[in-house]
Amino acid sequence: MALKNKYLADLLETVKKRNQGEPEFIQAVTEVFISLEPVAEKRPDLIEAGVFERIVEPERQIIFRVPWVDDNGVTRVNRGFRIEFNSAIGPYKGGLRLHPSVYLGIIKFLGFEQIFKNSLTTLPMGGGKGGSDFDPKGKSDGEVMRFCQSFMTELCKHIGPNTDVPAGDIGTGGREIGYMFGQYKRLRNEFTGVLTGKGLTFGGSLARTEATGYGLCYYTEEMLKANGKSFKGQTVVISGSGNVAIYATQKATELGAKVVALSDSNGYIYDENGIDLALVKQLKEVERKRIKEYVNVHPEAKYTEGCSGIWTIPCDIALPCATQNEIDEQSAKTLAKNGCYAVSEGANMPSTPEAIDVYFANNMLYGPAKAANAGGVAVSGLEMSQNSERLAWTFEDVDGRLKNIMKEIFKSCDEAAKEYGCEGNYMAGANIAGFLKVAEAMKAQGCV
Ligand code: NDP
Ligand code: 2IT
């Protein structure tokens, strides 16, 4: 799809020139600009206030060296990033990704999307993202700890509970957040809610671990309900087998669905009896093993090498929960051909633009990442509130608030889509609703 609005088309050209070699960032901006065309037509005041130009330029980009010593005494060097993208509605907020594929373009696309996602949660959080090309896979606990301590030694100069509050993402879970929190506290001599996703004994929130996967299912259930459907009795395929995938599997199953497949970057398992989640948790959360080990316990299940084949499994609902661009045009066509009628995104930007076109061409329900996976950062926002009042809420309290937030997010997407003439297009609805709140704040605060 090409941009028709001349102002946005020209601005997109500038963004492309300024951010060469960062295709994921350009992809994210292009999608948002396409959605915002009716807003640009209706709101010349926002163009006059330079909101569009300003929102695509990060407020601050920090890139730093992360030296650490491995178990053999060898010095290793990684690159660290923190993109403080937008603070119009609150302190920068967003996760830290630790994966060898990390470079500036990945962190910028994630930080850009985080602005709109955080706005949709209704909580006061700006957009940010960070990470490193460090690969925690195959590293000892000691190596991971030394990396995290070195990473935080630089990062601590830029973050704070009222400035910038990082959290987890791919490769960054409870272990990594614990090491980073310990180092921040030691360097600053401050016990504050500077990170979210902390352990429950030092300021973490109940239900944060479950939040993204649960929230994805709450959002998806709302979307299904609005279209006369539900998870009950449906066959679901979920990619990934990390934090988001595991708790999406749990909640979808609780809501009456049968989840038949999970994956990792090496391959996927298909278990037509429904995934044995206790086993997956043991393998992935405790033993840090590969998903193929599943078939050692369940020989009736099938393991296939290569992760993209998972989209050839017939299903009613697909929940991509691994990584960006994991569903391409061909996979989307296969899903549609096999009768899949809904795709809802736990991962960030898991569908290529061509795949999204296929969803719309086939009248599939499409839950876009910014809205559908906002439950994780929403509960991070609730963790910040608990840290500020030095209290810990119950699981039921946090989970109840999460459910309400996800319902409200669906409602905002649905209503914005209707108001701007694209009913049923929740991607446009999410981009418009998320953008407008930030844009009003940017306009009100003047040219900063
Ligand atoms: P984890 O590190 O816990 O799990 C990631 C999963 O995705 C693993 O199964 C991993 O397989 C797989 N994966 C990662 N990279 C690739 C790749 N390049 N190709 C194929 N598979 C891959 O991360 P999360 O579950 O936290 O994150 C998953 C997605 O959800 C990401 O897109 C993240 O940005 C998004 N997200 C996470 C939130 C959170 O709160 N954690 C909140 C909102 C979105 P392997 O082990 O082989 O690498
Ligand atoms: O992509 C995301 O929203 C996250 N990785 C969670 C961010 C957070 O601050 O909890």
Side-chain angles (χ1 to χ4, degrees):
M1 221 156 81
L3 278 166
K4 289 180 280 291
N5 181 284
K6 168 127 175 53
Y7 170 77
L8 288 178
D10 289 348
L11 181 54
L12 183 61
E13 284 314 304
T14 308
V15 172
K16 284 181 181 166
K17 274 202 204 103
R18 260 207 185 145
N19 302 280
Q20 285 174 31
E22 298 173 10
E24 296 85 1
F25 177 55
I26 303 298
Q27 182 182 334
V29 174
T30 305
E31 179 206 292
V32 169
F33 274 14
I34 289 171
S35 298
L36 292 181
E37 284 195 299
V39 179
E41 303 289 340
K42 222 171 160 172
R43 295 291 305 271
D45 59 311
L46 297 179
I47 296 179
E48 204 171 312
V51 167
F52 295 92
E53 278 93 341
R54 288 189 282 142
I55 208 164
V56 292
E57 188 65 21
E59 289 176 19
R60 193 172 298 105
Q61 310 190 41
I62 302 148
I63 304 182
F64 51 99
R65 180 169 72 197
V66 189
W68 54 281
V69 178
D70 72 16
D71 286 347
N72 298 317
V74 176
T75 297
R76 310 275 284 262
V77 177
N78 287 99
R79 186 170 285 185
F81 300 89
R82 186 71 185 168
I83 304 299
E84 297 182 332
F85 221 117
N86 194 297
S87 62
I89 64 168
Y92 310 106
K93 180 83 196 89
L96 298 170
R97 178 174 290 191
L98 300 182
H99 193 272
S101 63
V102 163
Y103 77 106
L104 187 59
I106 294 280
I107 302 299
K108 274 167 69 180
F109 111 69
L110 290 163
F112 181 69
E113 297 216 317
Q114 201 82 43
I115 303 170
F116 309 100
K117 183 196 303 194
N118 294 2
S119 161
L120 285 169
T121 65
T122 70
L123 303 175
M125 300 180 289
K129 200 84 186 189
S132 172
D133 57 2
F134 174 78
D135 186 359
K137 237 178 268 154
K139 303 287 192 300
S140 68
D141 284 351
E143 289 177 323
V144 171
M145 181 180 77
R146 291 193 293 280
F147 167 82
C148 289
Q149 291 179 338
S150 179
F151 184 79
M152 185 51 83
T153 301
E154 176 60 32
L155 189 68
C156 79
K157 300 168 192 167
H158 310 285
I159 63 176
N162 296 310
T163 311
D164 184 355
V165 183
D169 193 78
I170 290 177
T172 307
R175 175 182 60 173
E176 290 74 18
I177 294 291
Y179 292 148
M180 289 183 197
F181 182 77
Q183 182 73 349
Y184 182 89
K185 185 164 61 64
R186 183 186 189 195
L187 290 166
R188 303 291 287 260
N189 196 20
E190 260 178 32
F191 194 116
T192 58
V194 67
L195 292 159
T196 60
K198 298 182 292 299
L200 297 178
T201 53
F202 52 97
S205 174
L206 284 162
R208 175 62 187 91
T209 305
E210 294 83 356
T212 313
Y214 278 22
L216 169 65
C217 293
Y218 296 148
Y219 177 92
T220 307
E221 186 72 349
E222 283 303 300
M223 178 174 79
L224 294 171
K225 209 167 73 186
N227 292 277
K229 300 192 182 296
S230 90
F231 268 116
K232 214 164 248 134
Q234 304 301 284
T235 299
V236 177
V237 165
I238 298 182
S239 62
S241 49
N243 173 263
V244 181
I246 286 175
Y247 292 96
T249 302
Q250 184 159 320
K251 187 53 73 177
T253 309
E254 271 174 42
L255 291 171
K258 183 163 80 167
V259 179
V260 295
L262 286 175
S263 63
D264 60 24
S265 55
N266 294 107
Y268 64 93
I269 50 159
Y270 173 56
D271 187 342
E272 63 177 347
N273 300 319
I275 294 291
D276 172 354
L277 192 60
L279 173 60
V280 174
K281 282 187 183 176
Q282 176 65 25
L283 288 174
K284 300 305 269 193
E285 292 184 334
V286 182
E287 299 173 20
R288 298 183 187 275
K289 286 195 173 146
R290 310 307 299 160
I291 200 70
K292 73 169 171 221
E293 306 273 340
Y294 184 95
V295 296
N296 295 340
V297 179
H298 286 289
E300 73 285 4
K302 190 167 176 268
Y303 174 75
T304 309
E305 282 289 330
C307 43
S308 65
I310 193 170
W311 308 119
T312 63
I313 300 171
C315 64
D316 303 302
I317 298 164
L319 304 177
C321 294
T323 195
Q324 64 278 348
N325 291 327
E326 56 171 311
I327 304 186
D328 62 9
E329 182 177 17
Q330 192 48 52
S331 295
K333 282 183 173 160
T334 308
L335 282 168
K337 187 177 74 159
N338 288 338
C340 173
Y341 64 80
V343 179
S344 201
E345 300 178 332
N348 285 306
M349 205 167 77
S351 307
T352 64
E354 296 77 20
I356 297 171
D357 289 343
V358 172
Y359 306 153
F360 288 128
N362 287 277
N363 291 319
M364 292 160 78
L365 299 174
Y366 172 49
K370 288 182 196 80
N373 75 26
V377 75
V379 173
S380 279
L382 300 179
E383 183 170 326
M384 289 166 74
S385 301
Q386 293 169 76
N387 292 165
S388 296
E389 56 176 19
R390 303 203 189 283
L391 288 174
W393 305 341
T394 64
F395 187 95
E396 290 68 32
D397 189 357
V398 179
D399 187 41
R401 289 175 196 247
L402 169 65
K403 200 179 285 180
N404 281 337
I405 288 172
M406 299 316 293
K407 276 189 185 174
E408 285 305 311
I409 293 177
F410 176 73
K411 207 166 132 215
S412 316
C413 298
D414 191 30
E415 286 175 359
K418 283 178 183 148
E419 189 184 336
Y420 282 84
C422 40
E423 185 167 351
N425 181 341
Y426 307 122
M427 174 184 80
N431 287 329
I432 293 169
F435 170 80
L436 280 173
K437 179 175 166 190
V438 178
E440 301 295 4
M442 289 175 74
K443 185 183 162 197
Q445 290 169 30
C447 187
V448 291

